[in-house]
Amino acid sequence: MHKTHLEAIQAVQKLSYLLDDGDAERVEVVICPPFTALRSVQTLIESDRLSYGLAAQDVYPETDGAFTGAVSPLMLAALRVGYVIVGHSERRLIFGDDDAAVNRKVRAVFANGMVPIVCVGETLEERDAGGTETKVAEQVRHAFAGVTPEHAATAVVAYEPIWAIGTGRNAEPPDAGRVVETIRAELDRRVGADAARAVRVQYGGSVKPGNIRGFMAHPQIDGALVGGASLDPEDFALIVKYK
């Protein structure tokens, strides 16, 4: 919950000055503004022909109806949103999104021609108890229930340890890589080996310019879901430009 629509426009414009065409060819960049800035950012991306995707931070799984304050997948698709973050730790912890709600959102996103960025991750207590793999596998299993292999193959999954969000702490690349292996193994069981290999699995959790290289050097990690560092275009550009 950062940036008015005007601030979002300024941030994306500054990012476009910091990145060049080669960066966009090497890395897919997706901007995830709040609902109030989606239309403004969409217009900017299209009018300036920027090579960025557009994502929403959440969605309500019904098409329409008496759900005051909610935003439907149909509304997002009309804005040419390509991705939707589903099951972010803050949505789970603060707003009560359980595994069933996450699954409904995942299926609604697919049904409306968009791609979910499905977030999974454990709390500090679960981590200290040795329950990381069990918790993450369970979240993946529920999130992809009833999803076809064809849809699943296009998905993005972000391993987002709850204990790392906004704390300045992050998982070490080998630890994150092991959890990514768990995610792919669970996907293999649920949607098949081909779809599991095609899914892009990211790491999210205090990703910064100083640690992105280590995560991206790990062969199991396909990308990053960037939180606080994305609010500063200069930091975000350094993450995109990592070598």
Side-chain angles (χ1 to χ4, degrees):
M1 195 173 69
H2 290 277
K3 299 192 185 301
T4 66
H5 73 289
L6 294 175
E7 291 169 337
I9 289 171
Q10 292 169 351
V12 175
Q13 286 176 326
K14 185 172 183 180
L15 182 67
S16 71
Y17 301 146
L18 296 168
L19 300 178
D20 57 35
D21 292 341
D23 297 319
E25 291 173 1
R26 189 175 64 90
V27 177
E28 181 180 10
V29 177
V30 177
I31 310 297
C32 312
F35 287 137
T36 54
L38 276 172
R39 175 61 170 166
S40 298
V41 173
Q42 175 232 345
T43 301
L44 174 63
I45 288 173
E46 294 184 359
S47 63
D48 287 9
R49 294 182 173 85
L50 302 178
S51 300
Y52 307 151
L54 181 65
Q57 296 180 9
D58 191 36
V59 68
Y60 191 72
E62 298 294 336
T63 300
D64 54 31
F67 306 105
T68 300
V71 176
S72 80
L74 183 64
M75 295 172 182
L76 297 179
L79 288 174
R80 293 189 280 280
V81 167
Y83 295 88
V84 182
I85 300 174
V86 177
H88 191 281
S89 61
E90 290 156 8
R91 298 301 310 181
R92 294 179 187 261
L93 290 175
I94 300 172
F95 298 96
D97 282 12
D98 59 14
D99 286 334
V102 170
N103 176 249
R104 288 179 63 206
K105 292 181 179 185
V106 166
R107 290 186 286 115
V109 169
F110 278 132
N112 284 270
M114 298 174 292
V115 174
I117 301 172
V118 184
C119 297
V120 297
E122 81 283 16
T123 64
L124 183 60
E125 292 77 13
E126 289 163 337
R127 176 176 182 258
D128 289 343
T132 295
E133 285 77 11
T134 299
K135 176 62 176 289
V136 168
E138 180 181 2
Q139 289 175 324
V140 172
R141 180 168 66 253
H142 286 294
F144 285 87
V147 174
T148 66
E150 292 75 19
H151 273 150
T154 67
V156 179
V157 177
Y159 169 51
E160 180 205 30
I162 294 170
W163 53 267
I165 304 303
T167 64
R169 300 173 58 189
N170 54 266
E172 293 300 319
D175 295 331
R178 282 193 293 272
V179 179
V180 170
E181 290 177 357
T182 296
I183 291 169
R184 288 200 192 280
E186 187 62 33
L187 285 168
D188 190 333
R189 285 188 285 271
R190 298 299 153 189
V191 296
D194 290 344
R197 281 193 296 269
V199 172
R200 285 174 290 172
V201 185
Q202 303 177 330
Y203 173 74
S206 295
V207 175
K208 300 182 284 288
N211 62 25
I212 182 64
R213 185 178 292 105
F215 288 111
M216 295 315 304
H218 196 288
Q220 294 291 337
I221 300 173
D222 298 323
L225 182 66
V226 185
S230 69
L231 299 176
D232 183 335
E234 293 185 358
D235 279 352
F236 191 45
L238 288 174
I239 291 171
V240 173
K241 286 175 171 290
Y242 83 94
K243 296 293 186 182

